[in-house]
Amino acid sequence: MRVWFLSAALALMCMAQTATAGTILIVGDSISAAFGLDTRLGWVSLLEQRLREQGYDDKVVNASISGDTSAGGLARLPALLAEHKPDVVIVELGGNDGLRGQLPAQLKQNLAGMIDASQQAGAKVLLLGMQLPPNYGERYTRAFAAVYAELGQEKKVALVPFFLEGAGGRPELMQADGIHPAVGAQGLLLDNVWPALKPLL
């Protein structure tokens, strides 16, 4: 009889863990798609490992596409929300908008649309901010970076002000193109994300 009760208790614990497990949807570009790297070494894979190590059962869906823009993410998001029903949406987009010189106002509008759609679907949002190299001009780079800070305040969402903090501008942590983080930077990227993500789990 004792064995039966122990088995039943264990089954209930497993059911409870499964019930509380959520889904984290990452909608990003080449940085989250681990461009130029073995995807098993990218920060998203490292996130999955950390979740397991710290006892979280959350599933991670990486819907990142190299070259994607905020407009592309906005267009793709409704189908992703319907399919995966995420509890948390991590938005890592905008770098390609900046590299193409697109207007910060349009970037803000697209990201705001993604935040609104995610929240309306019942998901919490974590916005990963990007910054551009100074050669794009002070006025443009300041306006670009301000988009993320403004959205964090206006939409009341979790924010990492600069996703590449500590890696950007350091050649030893970047790939030869100077744009994409190298293997050695992936743990740093995760450490930038984790403090903002953990309270949302």
Side-chain angles (χ1 to χ4, degrees):
M1 183 65 73
R2 178 184 293 181
V3 173
W4 184 89
F5 278 119
L6 288 173
S7 298
L10 183 59
L12 287 172
M13 288 174 61
C14 290
M15 289 173 62
Q17 288 182 340
T18 302
T20 57
T23 297
I24 301 169
L25 173 66
I26 302 174
V27 186
D29 52 31
S30 54
I31 297 177
S32 295
F35 175 85
L37 308 175
D38 182 331
T39 56
R40 294 172 295 181
L41 302 176
W43 81 268
V44 175
S45 292
L46 298 182
L47 170 61
E48 292 177 303
Q49 295 174 27
R50 183 169 295 185
L51 288 168
R52 300 292 86 79
E53 290 168 358
Q54 299 207 10
Y56 293 95
D57 294 323
D58 298 77
K59 174 185 177 183
V60 177
V61 176
N62 190 1
S64 301
I65 298 177
S66 293
D68 205 8
T69 62
S70 62
L74 179 61
R76 293 193 294 122
L77 186 59
L80 292 170
L81 293 173
E83 179 181 358
H84 300 291
K85 298 177 173 55
D87 300 274
V88 177
V89 175
I90 299 178
V91 178
E92 182 272 302
L93 288 168
N96 290 310
D97 297 62
L99 294 177
R100 297 175 186 182
Q102 295 182 8
L103 293 175
Q106 185 61 56
L107 169 64
K108 184 176 181 180
Q109 181 177 325
N110 292 338
L111 293 177
M114 295 186 70
I115 293 170
D116 290 343
S118 299
Q119 291 178 331
Q120 289 166 9
K124 300 173 184 176
V125 177
L126 171 56
L127 181 62
L128 305 187
M130 295 300 296
Q131 295 180 15
L132 296 174
N135 58 295
Y136 279 79
E138 182 180 359
R139 182 177 179 183
Y140 183 72
T141 54
R142 287 177 61 183
F144 182 90
V147 165
Y148 298 92
E150 291 169 1
L151 285 172
Q153 279 194 327
E154 294 170 9
K155 300 295 183 179
K156 295 180 172 55
V157 296
L159 171 70
V160 175
F162 182 31
F163 181 35
L164 300 185
E165 184 69 47
R170 295 178 60 185
E172 70 275 17
L173 293 178
M174 302 297 288
Q175 297 183 43
D177 61 11
I179 297 174
H180 297 96
V183 171
Q186 300 303 308
L188 181 58
L189 298 185
L190 174 57
D191 288 340
N192 289 342
V193 171
W194 185 250
L197 174 61
K198 188 174 181 180
L200 306 181
L201 301 176

